[in-house]
Amino acid sequence: MTHAHHAGLHDAPYLPIEDHGIIGDLHTVALVGAEGTIDWCCLPRFDAPSVFASLLDAERGGFFSVRVPEVERTKQMYLPDSNVLLTRFLAEDAVAELYDFMVPDHPACSAGGIRQIVRQLRVVRGSARVDVECRPAFDYARAPHEVALVEGVGAVFTSPAGHLVLRSSVPLRADEDAALATVELSAGQALSLTAQWEGEPRPVDCTEVDRLLDDTLRYWDGWLRQSRYQGRYREAVERSALALKLLVHQPTGALIAAPTTSLPESPGGSRNWDYRYTWVRDAAFTLYALMRLGFTEEAAGFVDWLHDRCVEAPPDTGLQVLYGIDGRAGLPETELTHLAGYRGARPVRIGNAASLQLQLDIHGELMDSVYLYNKYGEPISYELWEALSRQLEWLEKHWEEPDDGIWETRGGRRRFTYSALMTWVAFERAMRIARHRGMPAPVERWRDAAAAAYRYVQDSCYSHELGAYVQYADSDVLDASLLVMPLVKFVGPADPRFLSTVRRLEERLVSDSLVHRYQADGADGFTDREGTFNLCSFWYVEALARAGRVGEARYIFEKMTTHANHLGLYAEEIGPAGEALGNFPQAFTHLALISAATNLDRALATQRGATTRHCRR
């Protein structure tokens, strides 16, 4: 059956990816469309099966909508310094406001132990008809369910995959497997709803919801106050920090790459992946970004999670590329053939076969973040040091093997330059920690390995003909990941080879100041094109700022901020017409924004200082 829940403001059944906000409770998130529909939510945690997934199948995926049908337009914003989303329904003779949030899992929040979505609609002016429709679809729409109305409470949806309790301050009616309500409200009146995973049915009223809202706002405000960022891009940086915090799984400290699966990297294409897992690389970069701002508790939680992965890893294998949030290693990739896919983009995948790939670079990001945590956070434990040393011993033996690379290509293994670069980082940072802390270490062997990796990049991965570092030895393929060279201190920002590489990247990979990951020529195992990669665009900003091209860096950074959605959130990529592509919101983009903003601030301050000194002469 077709649902009109997305019609009206947007005639297509699928909202653009960017027309969403997210709310979350540090266990999972929900995507809320600009017209008040929750069209994606996995309960009770990020990597659990979806309960609402009309984002991936408008017909059968399941959704939870609260709508005011007679409106001309809607506007969305976050309440200041929070992850509480406000959707405003605006008509000539009425204004209604929908507050959407989840209660963080924190002792300061009275209901923090319960996974629930809280929705309250208040009419501010005039009177409005409100339509409510809750139509879950358990286990990625594979498990059937029954709905039972409970008088004075709401409805209970029961399925073999779990049950959902919908509590409502207005009477509901059942329609097949959905619960509906239609109500007329006038100014000053409100409607309160909570969708709760498991738990007992009990009445809900506005005072309870008001208390939960106050708790939630107080939590987010208190959390954000830890931020040390004082620069000129405060709004973008703090929104990025708030988004990253929503992607941290509180109980384990793991950080997911994005809360969605199978949102396509090219319209209607097949580059559709499940990002609801923890990539060692992404999480290590995130730790760095949060520590830059002063959020050390999250960094400590992730280091604990990492410690467990390193200790568990068998001595004769390197770390896996990605893990489940609970640390599980097996993430078999399967296709959900019964789901239509976002705007027909198939396959819809769950699980991720990249967990079986060899990506040697992760040891570099890992050691870099551990080095920073040891320096600016807490001194690392001897046990973690021993486990890391075992990983480096493994890397010593294997770093010269071909691997699948940072971009997880599926076109066969090569000796990627970025992997060798990050091998140098791994051993160089390990030596720094050993020196700084006096930790026992085979420093001479590490020095030799670092030197060999350094020479390999300089001697085999730089093309004199092209005047650029290339994607892998003896190739002429350019790769934007090499923009990190000055960021990780491999080269100085004004190094002639690096500056020449930047110029080549600008010729071939930069389009309207946005950066493609690499030249997609089909050798990566895919035929469909992809958009520009937001992470690389922010790396480009940082590289320019460090290289002294500060005016350009600022222009491109501020241009990038126009590609955020109306709430300051980014998907993974940007399409040719400026549309969001890929999973949403993506941690990698937000952490790169934070890093670029802090470095750009520093460069602008230095430049300004130099100007004033010059004037005073």
Side-chain angles (χ1 to χ4, degrees):
M1 90 188 237
T2 54
H3 302 306
H5 71 288
H6 287 302
L9 289 170
H10 300 271
D11 294 326
Y14 294 93
L15 284 183
I17 292 168
E18 62 267 29
D19 282 6
H20 289 89
I22 57 164
I23 55 173
D25 61 3
L26 312 181
H27 284 251
T28 190
V29 304
L31 267 64
V32 186
E35 30 54 311
T37 295
I38 291 174
D39 56 13
W40 178 257
C41 184
C42 300
L43 289 166
R45 59 182 216 182
F46 296 114
D47 58 356
S50 61
V51 175
F52 302 117
S54 58
L55 187 64
L56 294 180
D57 192 320
E59 299 290 325
R60 57 173 76 84
F63 62 91
F64 180 10
S65 66
V66 177
R67 295 181 62 241
V68 180
E70 312 294 318
V71 296
E72 275 97 61
R73 57 174 58 89
T74 64
K75 298 277 186 189
Q76 271 186 325
M77 61 177 273
Y78 280 110
L79 295 193
D81 299 342
S82 83
N83 278 313
V84 174
L85 189 62
L86 179 65
T87 305
R88 302 169 67 221
F89 298 90
L90 309 171
E92 205 163 298
D93 48 7
V95 172
E97 296 186 331
L98 174 63
Y99 293 79
D100 277 315
F101 61 97
M102 296 176 82
V103 184
D105 181 15
H106 192 269
C109 301
S110 53
I114 302 166
R115 308 279 72 76
Q116 62 180 338
I117 297 166
V118 185
R119 317 196 74 186
Q120 186 179 66
L121 185 123
R122 304 173 187 173
V123 175
V124 179
R125 176 168 67 76
S127 64
R129 189 186 109 205
V130 185
D131 290 341
V132 175
E133 183 172 357
C134 183
R135 189 179 293 275
F138 295 87
D139 188 23
Y140 306 110
R142 291 182 296 197
H145 67 264
E146 291 176 351
V147 58
L149 298 181
V150 182
E151 199 173 338
V153 174
V156 178
F157 302 91
T158 309
S159 89
H163 70 269
L164 190 72
V165 179
L166 177 63
R167 301 159 63 212
S168 171
S169 63
V170 300
L172 301 173
R173 63 183 190 278
D175 169 48
E176 294 173 11
D177 51 1
L180 314 176
T182 303
V183 61
E184 280 282 341
L185 299 176
S186 46
Q189 293 184 311
L191 149 74
S192 296
L193 300 156
T194 78
Q196 184 178 316
W197 183 253
E198 309 294 349
E200 292 304 311
R202 55 189 179 81
V204 65
D205 59 31
C206 289
T207 51
E208 180 192 351
V209 169
D210 290 346
R211 190 186 75 247
L212 294 175
L213 178 59
D214 288 345
D215 283 354
T216 302
L217 287 170
R218 197 162 42 247
Y219 169 80
W220 286 116
D221 182 64
W223 182 79
L224 196 59
R225 279 169 194 265
Q226 299 170 65
S227 171
R228 290 197 299 256
Y229 182 80
Q230 297 294 324
R232 68 188 64 221
Y233 301 112
R234 188 165 165 182
E235 199 174 324
V237 166
E238 291 189 344
R239 178 50 53 201
S240 289
L242 284 161
L244 287 174
K245 178 63 172 170
L246 282 182
L247 304 184
V248 176
H249 184 244
Q250 183 83 6
T252 58
L255 182 125
I256 59 161
T260 55
T261 179
S262 301
L263 292 182
E265 293 172 20
S266 57
S270 62
R271 293 176 186 256
N272 316 323
W273 314 111
D274 191 348
Y275 275 17
R276 298 170 300 148
Y277 306 112
T278 302
W279 271 253
V280 170
R281 176 192 306 112
D282 302 37
F285 275 128
T286 303
L287 180 145
Y288 166 69
L290 289 173
M291 279 183 53
R292 287 292 289 270
L293 303 180
F295 297 108
T296 47
E297 187 189 321
E298 288 70 26
F302 176 64
V303 167
D304 287 345
W305 180 88
L306 206 57
H307 169 267
D308 293 342
R309 302 299 76 75
C310 291
V311 169
E312 286 164 9
D316 54 344
T317 63
L319 276 177
Q320 239 180 230
V321 177
L322 67 141
Y323 294 89
I325 48 181
D326 53 6
R328 73 186 188 282
L331 302 169
E333 189 176 293
T334 56
E335 295 181 3
L336 299 179
T337 53
H338 65 290
L339 293 180
Y342 173 81
R343 296 189 172 177
R346 299 175 80 169
V348 172
R349 293 182 172 97
I350 55 172
N352 200 311
S355 60
L356 305 172
Q357 287 196 344
L358 177 65
Q359 295 176 25
L360 294 163
D361 68 280
I362 62 172
H363 299 87
E365 288 100 352
L366 169 66
M367 290 309 300
D368 198 29
S369 60
V370 169
Y371 162 72
L372 292 165
Y373 180 72
N374 180 72
K375 188 173 175 183
Y376 299 111
E378 295 288 325
I380 63 166
S381 69
Y382 174 65
E383 194 183 8
L384 177 56
W385 178 247
E386 287 286 275
L388 290 168
S389 299
R390 281 200 303 277
Q391 289 299 318
L392 291 169
E393 200 175 316
W394 180 89
L395 185 62
E396 252 183 289
K397 296 184 187 120
H398 297 278
W399 76 270
E400 294 177 273
E401 294 171 13
D403 74 342
D404 296 293
I406 178 177
W407 304 130
E408 301 184 348
T409 53
R410 298 195 177 185
R413 292 181 173 180
R414 305 182 189 280
R415 286 197 66 189
F416 287 101
T417 308
Y418 183 82
S419 298
L421 164 70
M422 282 303 181
T423 296
W424 173 81
V425 171
F427 289 112
E428 200 277 338
R429 299 307 188 265
M431 288 188 292
R432 284 196 203 191
I433 298 171
R435 192 165 58 239
H436 175 63
R437 290 280 306 281
M439 294 286 211
V443 176
E444 282 181 22
R445 282 205 344 251
W446 288 356
R447 189 180 293 118
D448 290 346
Y454 194 95
R455 283 202 190 91
Y456 177 74
V457 172
Q458 295 287 21
D459 298 346
S460 303
C461 303
Y462 183 80
S463 163
H464 290 278
E465 201 177 319
L466 198 60
Y469 292 102
V470 287
Q471 189 177 53
Y472 50 92
D474 305 319
S475 76
D476 59 357
V477 179
L478 294 172
D479 190 320
S481 65
L482 302 179
L483 286 165
V484 305
M485 283 181 162
L487 282 56
V488 297
K489 312 277 192 281
F490 180 85
V491 296
D495 180 274
R497 284 186 168 194
F498 179 71
L499 294 180
S500 175
T501 302
V502 171
R503 286 194 293 274
R504 292 297 161 272
L505 291 172
E506 287 171 332
E507 288 165 14
R508 296 194 190 178
L509 294 184
V510 178
S511 160
D512 181 30
S513 78
L514 302 173
V515 185
H516 288 273
R517 293 192 286 186
Y518 53 86
Q519 292 151 293
D521 55 4
D524 58 358
F526 301 100
T527 50
D528 37 310
R529 304 282 298 173
E530 60 171 10
T532 55
F533 211 72
N534 293 326
L535 166 72
C536 298
S537 299
F538 283 120
W539 278 348
Y540 178 44
V541 168
E542 200 167 331
L544 290 179
R546 287 172 186 260
R549 292 167 61 184
V550 184
E552 288 171 85
R554 182 179 183 180
Y555 170 66
I556 292 166
F557 183 88
E558 296 190 5
K559 210 167 171 183
M560 271 302 290
T561 63
T562 71
H563 287 289
N565 81 346
H566 57 294
L567 296 165
L569 301 175
Y570 292 86
E572 186 173 24
E573 299 182 8
I574 293 167
E579 73 276 25
L581 293 172
N583 286 309
F584 174 90
Q586 196 214 20
F588 235 156
T589 301
H590 286 283
L591 61 93
L593 181 152
I594 291 169
S595 186
T598 47
N599 280 292
L600 185 53
D601 277 323
R602 192 187 303 143
L604 286 162
T606 307
Q607 192 183 54
R608 191 151 291 175
T611 312
T612 51
R613 281 197 303 279
H614 183 69
C615 294
R616 279 204 300 271
R617 252 195 329 238

